[in-house]
Structure formats: C-alpha cells, structure tokens
Amino acid sequence: MRIVVLAGGIGGARFLRGLKQAAPDDAVITVIGNTGDDIHLFGLKVCPDLDTVMYTLGGGINEEQGWGRTDETYLVKEELAAYGVGPEWFGLGDRDFATHIVRTQMLDAGYPLSAVTEALCERWKPGVRLIPMSDDRIETHVAVTLDGERRAVHFQEYWVKLRASVDAHAVVPVGAEQAKPAPGVLEAIAEADVILFPPSNPVVSVGTILAVPGIREAIAEAGVPVVGLSPIVGDAPVRGMADKVLAAVGVDSTAAAVAEHYGSGLLDGWLVDTVDAGTVERVEAAGIRCRAVPLMMSDLDATTQMAREALTLAEEVRA
Amino acid sequence: MRIVVLAGGIGGARFLRGLKQAAPDDAVITVIGNTGDDIHLFGLKVCPDLDTVMYTLGGGINEEQGWGRTDETYLVKEELAAYGVGPEWFGLGDRDFATHIVRTQMLDAGYPLSAVTEALCERWKPGVRLIPMSDDRIETHVAVTLDGERRAVHFQEYWVKLRASVDAHAVVPVGAEQAKPAPGVLEAIAEADVILFPPSNPVVSVGTILAVPGIREAIAEAGVPVVGLSPIVGDAPVRGMADKVLAAVGVDSTAAAVAEHYGSGLLDGWLVDTVDAGTVERVEAAGIRCRAVPLMMSDLDATTQMAREALTLAEEVRA
C-alpha cells in the first residue's frame, strides 16, 4: 500500500507517528512537506515543518513543545543576541542549529532542498520518504494591519512573533505560482493507493502545498481515495491558531467548513471529532463521505486509532 | 603614542594584554591581525587569530587552552558529526559558532572582513583597534609529504589535524600576491610612533602579514622604531611548533636566527630571553639592537614587563 500524506509541522508529524503504527507493514509512506514557512535566519535556511516531521519520526523531537530538539540548549542564540543579532523571537537551539548549518552548506553547494532533505533523513531514518513540496522558494506571507499600517509579514513573524494576535487579511504563498513540485512529488501522488490530509493547518500547511501548481490537480486526478482529518474540533483548532488564517480565506472555524473549503473535487472522505457528529450530515451533503471519531492525538494509541479510521474510511470510499 | 602591533593568535593576544597595561594611558594601539589561517568550516568563515585577539582582550577567552570561548559547550559540533559532517579535528564550540555565524552573515551581505571585525569588536571592546591584514582571501598552505605523496594542506590541517607531525617543505600564503592591505593598515603604520612584533610565529603569523604587498615596505619606510620579541627561547618555541615552519623557510630555531630572518632592514630592536643572553652580540652584529630580558608570558605581570621592555628598547632605538 502506497500512502501519500500532505504534512505541515506538529499536527502532521504526530499524525504520521500514528500512521506508521496503523499502516500495513509493507506500506510505503511518502510525506509531502510544507516549505511555505521556511525562513532564513542568521544566514541559515530553516525549514520548521520538514524538521518537525524529521525530528518527530526520528526520535529527536522535544515532545513537550512539539518542535525543536530534545535536550536542547540555547548558547548560540544567546551569543547572537549578545552581538545584537536577532530575531530573538525564533527559538533556535544549539542542536537544531547544526541541522540548519548542514542544510545551508549543502544548498550553497548546489544541492536542491529535496536532496538535502534526503541527506538529513539518512541520519534520522524517519521511516517515511520525506519530500519538500518544492525545491523552489515559496514563502507564506500574511497581510496584517500593524500600528494602523497594512503590511505583509513572513508567516513565522505572524505565527511566532505576533502569535496571531492580529487579524490576517490575507495569506499569500509568495513564489508558489512560479514553483514546480519537487522531484518525486507528482510521481508519488500518481502511484498512491490513498492520499491523506492529516489534521494540519488547512490554509498555511496543506493549503500551501496545494498551491504549488500541479499538486492539487494531480491529487484530484489520482483516482484514489483522498481522506482528511479535521484540525478543528468543536469549533476551535486543536492546536495553533488555525481560526485566524481560516478567517483570512473566508472559512469558518468548523470541521464542516474546512471540508467544504477543500471541496468534494479534492476530498473523498473527512473525519470529524465525535463532538462534531452533528455536522456529518452537512459534510456528506457536500459530497464528501464523513465519519465522526475521536480526533484528539493525546497519545500514540489514540493517534494510531485515528490513522486507522482514516485508512478505513479510504477503503469505504474505494468500495 | 600610537603603537602598531602585528599579531598572530595566542602569543600575540597574550602579549597585547601586557601591552595594554604597559602602554601610556593615552596610547592608541592598532593591531594588524593575521588572517592567513582563516578557514571555511561548515560553510562558515572562521578567523582563529582575529578571534583569539578579540576574545582574549575582551574577556571571553578560554584561558587554559588560549583559544576559543570560556564556559564552552560542543553540541553543534556533536550534531554535525552525527550528520557525518566534519571535520571533527577543529574544535568549534557553541558560543564560538555564533561569532562565525554573525561574521558569515555580514560577509554574505557584502561587508568586508575589516568592517565585520569592527562590528564584532563593538561587543568585545578589546581596547585596541583590530584590523585584519587584508580584506582579500589569503590562505596559508603548507607543503608536506603524506603517505609518500607531496601535497599542500591548509595551515589548520597542518597545525591542528596533523599537529605539525610531519616536516613542512614550504609555507605559502596563497592569494597574498594579489591581496591589498585592509583599509587603515597602511595608514596606521605610517602614523605609528612604534611598531611591535610580539612573540608570534615569525613564519605563519607575522610572516604572513608581511607577505601582504605593501605592509613590509610601509614598516621599513615608517621611520619609527620596529621592535620584536623572540618567540624562541633557548632554541625551542615557547609554545606551538614554530620550529617546524621555520625549518621550511630555512631558518634555525634560535632567537638570533629569527632576528636575522626579519633582518635589519625591517627590525631595529629585538628582545631575547635571558637564557639566550649569549646571542645578543650576534644579533647586534646583524645591525639589530638587542636586549636579553625574561620572555616567558607566565602571568599578566610578566607579560606587562615584557611589553615595557619592548617600549623601552624602542625609545633607545629612537634616541
């Protein structure tokens, strides 16, 4: 069984951990990772979502915070601040710095991000094939009003520095229109037996991946079940501030509205949480098969069960 | 009093600490730093000698080892090794990495090394003006025979990795011929009241600085006392492996031979250690005023006294 997963950061990574448990032993899991939140810091290329997937599946993640490395220290960052060099709001640890140093060195040597990611994964052995959505630079910008002035900030500035404390007027994956899917992305989709959208952010994670020309079309035309899991439970994001960026694209923060946002042209099945069981009918009315199951990734067993439900729904769709 | 010092790493930095004590309160000390042992590691520009001067005078040096930062940890390096990325023989600590990250980021942004060094010194406030000998890339290579094959290795590979365990056939400051002195270097020499050669390596530290076209000539023509301190005491280098690279340029490892190597066209005064008092006559016969004084930088007082002797000898030369 060949499974393709479109993944953002924490939510995607945790779901993948469950999926590895739930999938048949001979399953091949290809993860198409969001790179829209990549950022250059201190001259280094940082890929937060790719690293979160890599560290989570490779056993290096800081479990409590969900991103960054375990047993981390912050001397490099302290020293950079002592030089007056910021930003200080982005938490890069010493162990994490090494990843960005290796990545930047390889990129500077001419390797595309997909090759660099493969090389980094040789150490972490995440048990999935992790491919960035594109080797081209795509940067998610968020239009906000700050001090009465409308301007666009990098997604990380919006998410991490501002903590989504102001409304997002628009979310723009700058560079996406000119970008091409990374080598292997379209092939993996075309050969997939099932395609999954984990409970990642529908706008800035899965949405950004779908904004790379060719990916949405390939998924719609793959002719295999496409099943998603709602990141919204009981009208609020399970984690993060998805409601803020959903509002920017005119989508309500409900499990049903997100399903309709993806649309039946893309999505065949949708899992909502049991607290949202009342919305199943609405989703199905939109032409998307829907089931209500527990969607809180509280531990590996719960997450594994969610992944099982997604695969089961995919089989139902196929049949 | 304007003092210009040509400095390598540990020896030069420690001498400067004494000189700051010995010099009049209104003295302006300009340090022309060796950059021939600079190296690119992990895509970062590392300037060991400049940093040793900066950390030593700024209070950040690891006193025991003489280079690198105090209270240092090595997580970044460990992680790089876990990625299979080396070299492992070069000891870059986490705090130290920050310096190289800031430097590389500024260089990539288009600032010359001299401007970057000035910016880094804004944090460290070394109490001297530290200028790299050149903004151009100069890399000291050492010709050696390894496994029966003659090849050239980077100075750091010779010094740190091989620990000068094989003979050096030649020492070549690659790129020096095309290099220009950094802004301020020739001006500082022209305006100097005294020029000092600390007990730094005469070949790969002071010698490399002198190899930058224009610097040797400017010193010779400055018309002010030029006084050096022997890095050789009792026929052996005080520290490091200067004998190895002296042999490569056909110079004996004696205080007198080093003075003659600099030559009376450049050097006006030379301090040898008291154990080498017997060599004073030979140095003076070469046209270089010579005194025998204690030359072991065992503590700040001893080093301050050495610097005082150097300034005194300069006044003798002037008179």
Side-chain angles (χ1 to χ4, degrees):
Chain A
M1 184 192 273
R2 284 155 302 187
I3 307 172
V4 167
V5 182
L6 272 50
I10 303 177
R14 288 191 173 161
F15 173 75
L16 283 163
R17 201 146 54 173
L19 181 63
K20 281 172 65 180
Q21 297 288 318
D25 285 347
D26 63 344
V28 175
I29 302 173
T30 301
V31 178
I32 301 173
N34 172 42
T35 59
D37 62 346
D38 290 3
I39 186 167
H40 279 81
L41 293 169
F42 316 109
L44 301 172
K45 170 86 161 178
V46 180
C47 301
D49 281 1
L50 294 181
D51 288 350
T52 294
V53 170
M54 191 171 76
Y55 294 160
T56 300
L57 301 185
I61 199 78
N62 179 319
E63 293 288 347
E64 288 77 46
Q65 69 188 12
W67 52 270
R69 294 288 311 279
T70 190
D71 297 322
E72 189 58 292
T73 55
Y74 293 85
L75 285 186
V76 176
K77 193 187 169 191
E78 273 174 34
E79 293 289 330
L80 290 168
Y83 279 114
V85 172
E88 296 193 35
W89 48 265
F90 203 89
L92 288 184
D94 298 330
R95 294 184 189 278
D96 200 22
F97 257 107
T99 301
H100 313 311
I101 290 171
V102 173
R103 175 186 290 121
T104 305
Q105 194 180 8
M106 286 190 72
L107 289 170
D108 286 351
Y111 293 94
L113 183 61
S114 51
V116 174
T117 305
E118 197 180 333
L120 295 172
C121 284
E122 276 175 30
R123 170 183 176 193
W124 290 105
K125 306 195 193 319
V128 301
R129 182 177 175 207
L130 175 62
I131 318 179
M133 63 192 195
S134 177
D135 281 333
D136 301 320
R137 184 165 170 177
I138 297 164
E139 223 173 67
T140 303
H141 287 196
V142 181
V144 293
T145 300
L146 286 178
D147 303 326
E149 206 177 327
R150 186 156 174 152
R151 61 189 200 85
V153 298
H154 189 287
F155 170 72
Q156 296 295 355
E157 191 176 344
Y158 181 71
W159 208 248
V160 180
K161 186 182 178 192
L162 299 174
R163 298 186 182 281
S165 56
V166 296
D167 287 344
H169 305 307
V171 177
V172 184
V174 177
E177 280 175 31
Q178 295 79 40
K180 289 192 301 288
V185 167
L186 296 183
E187 292 79 353
I189 293 170
E191 294 168 3
D193 296 306
V194 56
I195 298 170
L196 300 179
F197 296 178
S200 289
N201 189 303
V203 182
V204 295
S205 295
V206 178
T208 306
I209 300 171
L210 294 171
V212 179
I215 293 186
R216 176 187 287 271
E217 297 74 6
I219 293 171
E221 292 161 13
V224 296
V226 179
V227 170
L229 299 92
S230 177
I232 308 286
V233 168
D235 299 354
V238 175
R239 63 167 294 133
M241 302 149 286
D243 48 333
K244 288 286 187 171
V245 291
L246 280 168
V249 295
V251 176
D252 287 342
S253 279
T254 66
V258 172
E260 289 163 358
H261 171 63
Y262 284 133
S264 63
L266 193 66
L267 208 58
D268 302 304
W270 187 242
L271 293 179
V272 300
D273 188 79
T274 44
V275 304
D276 297 310
T279 203
V280 167
E281 216 167 311
R282 172 177 160 191
V283 175
E284 297 221 312
I288 299 165
R289 189 174 290 246
C290 186
R291 294 285 174 272
V293 299
L295 285 192
M296 302 304 283
M297 297 191 281
S298 44
D299 58 29
L300 183 57
D301 282 350
T303 311
T304 303
Q305 187 53 33
M306 280 168 60
R308 256 189 222 113
E309 297 285 1
L311 293 174
T312 301
L313 184 55
E315 288 317 304
E316 274 184 54
V317 166
R318 192 190 314 276
Chain B
M1 184 193 270
R2 287 156 300 189
I3 307 171
V4 167
V5 181
L6 272 53
I10 303 177
R14 290 191 171 161
F15 173 75
L16 283 164
R17 198 145 57 172
L19 180 63
K20 280 173 66 182
Q21 297 288 318
D25 284 347
D26 63 343
V28 175
I29 302 172
T30 302
V31 178
I32 302 172
N34 173 42
T35 59
D37 62 347
D38 290 2
I39 186 166
H40 279 81
L41 293 169
F42 315 111
L44 301 172
K45 170 84 162 178
V46 180
C47 301
D49 281 2
L50 295 181
D51 288 350
T52 295
V53 170
M54 192 171 75
Y55 294 160
T56 301
L57 300 185
I61 199 78
N62 179 320
E63 293 288 346
E64 289 75 47
Q65 70 188 12
W67 53 270
R69 294 288 310 279
T70 189
D71 297 323
E72 190 57 293
T73 55
Y74 293 85
L75 285 185
V76 176
K77 192 186 170 191
E78 273 174 33
E79 292 290 331
L80 290 167
Y83 280 116
V85 173
E88 296 193 35
W89 49 264
F90 202 88
L92 287 185
D94 297 331
R95 293 184 189 277
D96 201 24
F97 258 108
T99 301
H100 313 313
I101 289 171
V102 174
R103 176 185 291 122
T104 304
Q105 193 179 6
M106 286 192 71
L107 289 170
D108 286 350
Y111 292 94
L113 183 61
S114 51
V116 175
T117 304
E118 199 180 331
L120 295 173
C121 284
E122 275 174 31
R123 170 183 176 194
W124 291 103
K125 304 193 194 321
V128 301
R129 183 178 174 207
L130 176 61
I131 318 178
M133 64 191 197
S134 178
D135 280 334
D136 302 319
R137 185 163 168 178
I138 298 164
E139 223 173 66
T140 303
H141 287 194
V142 181
V144 294
T145 300
L146 287 177
D147 304 324
E149 205 178 327
R150 187 157 173 150
R151 63 189 199 86
V153 297
H154 189 287
F155 170 71
Q156 297 293 356
E157 190 175 344
Y158 181 71
W159 208 249
V160 180
K161 185 181 179 192
L162 299 174
R163 298 187 182 280
S165 57
V166 296
D167 288 342
H169 305 308
V171 177
V172 183
V174 178
E177 279 175 31
Q178 294 79 39
K180 287 191 302 291
V185 167
L186 297 184
E187 293 79 352
I189 293 171
E191 294 167 3
D193 296 308
V194 57
I195 298 170
L196 300 179
F197 296 177
S200 289
N201 189 303
V203 181
V204 294
S205 294
V206 179
T208 306
I209 300 171
L210 293 171
V212 179
I215 293 186
R216 176 187 287 272
E217 297 73 5
I219 294 172
E221 292 161 13
V224 296
V226 179
V227 170
L229 298 92
S230 177
I232 308 287
V233 168
D235 300 355
V238 175
R239 61 167 295 133
M241 302 149 285
D243 48 331
K244 287 286 187 169
V245 289
L246 280 167
V249 295
V251 176
D252 288 341
S253 279
T254 68
V258 173
E260 289 163 357
H261 171 64
Y262 284 132
S264 61
L266 193 67
L267 208 59
D268 302 305
W270 187 242
L271 292 179
V272 299
D273 190 78
T274 45
V275 304
D276 296 311
T279 204
V280 167
E281 213 168 316
R282 172 178 159 190
V283 175
E284 298 221 312
I288 299 165
R289 191 174 288 247
C290 186
R291 295 283 174 274
V293 299
L295 284 192
M296 301 305 283
M297 298 192 282
S298 44
D299 57 30
L300 183 55
D301 283 348
T303 311
T304 304
Q305 188 52 35
M306 280 167 59
R308 257 190 220 113
E309 298 284 1
L311 293 175
T312 301
L313 183 55
E315 288 318 303
E316 274 185 52
V317 165
R318 193 190 313 276

